[in-house]
Amino acid sequence: MQDFMPLVVGIDVGGTKTHLRAYVGAELVADHVRTSRGWRPHDPVAAAGWLAALVADALPQGARPAALAVGGHACETPRQCAQIRTALQLHFDAPALVMGDAELLVPAAGLDKGVGLVAGTGSVAVGRLADGTSLQVGGWGAVLGDEGGAAGLVREAARAAWAAHDRGEEPDELARGLVASFGVSEVPALGAALEGATDVSAQWGRHAPVVFAAAEAGSPLARAVITEAGRSLAALVERLAARGVMVDDVVVAGSTVLAQASLYGAFATALARSVPGARPQPLREPPVEGAVTLARSIL
């Protein structure tokens, strides 16, 4: 196969799962999904070895990539990504690109420029300046940020329930749902339950459906949390625009925002107010296709 056409590899390393696709021309020769367990982006040598092992497992025996592009979860700075790329070149004699996973969204949507916005367990937005410099905003983790992501929604919902409790209000659908979901006896006990998490993002984020169920049941607190989450996601785009990123097109992905129409609607409404002219669109293709597009661009 490779005697006639080059083999290109795209990899999307997400927070939970990793997706690899490889093509020879238009022919798909590998479509491999596995967990992201073991991914250590803050250790470039370990990350490069993990990627090399993934490629070896996924590709047909003896196949070697002619170009490789990787979008990696928690690859947060250009320096960090460059270090992984340098380490990766020790495994492959081929051009390679390494970037944050949110940067795959715009090329996956078939666009040359724009903003990639992810709201899954966490939240982050990325874009590029006219000179190609990558900018990322958000993505600060569930304790300090990730507003609009699943974990951030749960954190803010708990805060809203606590505030209502302090005002002397009876627990509403949101408070009752959180108490039941966390398996505690009363609203004040939510604090210890949240603080006891060992994997904060994942353990908080899995309770996010409670917020949306409470909103559907009529909870004003839950609806206010979702509305504010939409504003926070729009604010990420607004920050990029203020720094000079072209934000005409905003490609949206993530298991939380795309699965919950109320959150997507709150985001789109807030975006129309804060960044008039920005066009949000849900990503229709898997992000790994963005990695494939980028790999082809460096052949």
Side-chain angles (χ1 to χ4, degrees):
M1 291 187 295
Q2 289 177 273
D3 293 339
F4 304 98
M5 300 188 75
L7 185 150
V8 298
V9 176
I11 304 174
D12 171 28
V13 186
T16 303
K17 70 176 182 178
T18 291
H19 193 178
L20 177 150
R21 281 187 177 176
Y23 288 86
V24 173
E27 179 187 358
L28 179 66
V29 297
D31 189 8
H32 182 76
V33 178
R34 54 167 285 180
T35 73
S36 297
R37 188 178 302 113
W39 171 243
R40 295 162 55 194
H42 295 284
D43 182 339
V45 173
W50 189 91
L51 291 166
L54 169 67
V55 171
D57 288 343
L59 293 187
Q61 186 173 5
R64 299 286 294 177
L68 176 73
V70 180
H73 172 72
C75 192
E76 296 162 339
T77 68
R79 179 182 180 184
Q80 181 189 1
C81 293
Q83 289 173 335
I84 297 174
R85 177 184 174 277
T86 298
L88 193 60
Q89 302 271 221
L90 300 177
H91 296 273
F92 300 106
D93 183 20
L97 289 173
V98 179
M99 63 205 68
D101 55 346
E103 292 196 59
L104 303 182
L105 306 188
V106 170
L111 301 171
D112 295 325
K113 56 187 177 182
V115 170
L117 174 72
V118 179
T121 301
S123 63
V124 68
V126 298
R128 289 186 178 270
L129 300 175
D131 64 3
T133 301
S134 176
L135 291 181
Q136 173 178 309
V137 296
W140 296 111
V143 174
L144 298 177
D146 282 352
E147 295 87 350
L153 278 159
V154 172
R155 182 192 65 232
E156 296 308 310
R159 288 169 59 87
W162 290 327
H165 176 80
D166 286 349
R167 292 191 296 267
E169 298 173 9
E170 289 296 318
D172 78 342
E173 292 86 351
L174 177 62
R176 291 195 298 271
L178 290 171
V179 164
S181 188
F182 277 94
V184 296
S185 59
E186 56 185 347
V187 170
L190 288 170
L194 268 69
E195 290 176 355
T198 54
D199 182 350
V200 170
S201 291
Q203 290 176 242
W204 290 5
R206 69 170 179 242
H207 300 280
V210 170
V211 183
F212 297 102
E216 290 179 5
S219 167
L221 292 180
R223 290 175 178 173
V225 168
I226 293 168
T227 297
E228 185 57 33
R231 291 194 193 107
S232 295
L233 293 174
L236 296 178
V237 181
E238 187 176 4
R239 287 174 209 162
L240 288 174
R243 295 180 65 181
V245 172
M246 293 292 293
V247 299
D248 292 350
D249 291 292
V250 181
V251 182
V252 183
S255 56
T256 302
V257 69
L258 293 188
Q260 300 292 345
S262 59
L263 178 59
Y264 189 94
F267 160 68
T269 298
L271 185 66
R273 292 172 180 163
S274 62
V275 191
R279 299 181 294 268
Q281 57 176 289
L283 182 64
R284 304 297 186 188
E285 297 292 331
V288 70
E289 285 296 329
V292 172
T293 296
L294 293 169
R296 286 174 171 148
S297 74
I298 57 175
L299 281 173

